[in-house]
């Protein structure tokens, strides 16, 4: 028998873990941004679509980082 292992090991990608956290924080902050944007003078519809765009980007970011959460090392 050889001492070398041929099995691949899944290792946590810390960059993806941090990315998930950042996207989650951004999405959480965007939930409370609608009244703030309205106070800044934006119409409700404009503010709503701005918050919706941020939420959509955060969702795509979380999906991307989840798919790259583990690296294969052998």
């Amino acid at each position: 028998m050889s001492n070398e292992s041929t099995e691949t090991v899944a290792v946590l990608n810390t960059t993806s873990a941090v990315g998930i956290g950042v996207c989650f924080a951004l999405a959480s902050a965007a939930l409370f941004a609608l009244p703030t944007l309205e106070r800044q003078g934006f119409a409700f519809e404009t503010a709503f679509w701005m918050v919706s765009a941020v939420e959509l980007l955060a969702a795509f970011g979380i999906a991307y980082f989840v798919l790259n959460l583990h690296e294969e090392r052998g």
Side-chain angles (χ1 to χ4, degrees), residues 10-71:
V11 178
L12 180 67
N13 185 351
T14 54
T15 305
S16 288
V18 170
I20 290 170
V22 169
C23 287
F24 176 77
L26 181 65
S28 298
L31 288 175
F32 301 103
L34 187 60
T36 304
L37 290 173
E38 285 183 308
R39 276 190 298 240
Q40 295 298 322
F42 289 100
F44 173 79
E45 187 173 324
T46 304
F48 173 80
W49 288 112
M50 289 171 63
V51 170
S52 296
V54 171
E55 292 286 343
L56 183 65
L57 289 175
F60 283 143
I62 288 173
Y64 171 78
F65 288 126
V66 165
L67 291 174
N68 295 314
L69 191 57
H70 290 94
E71 297 176 335

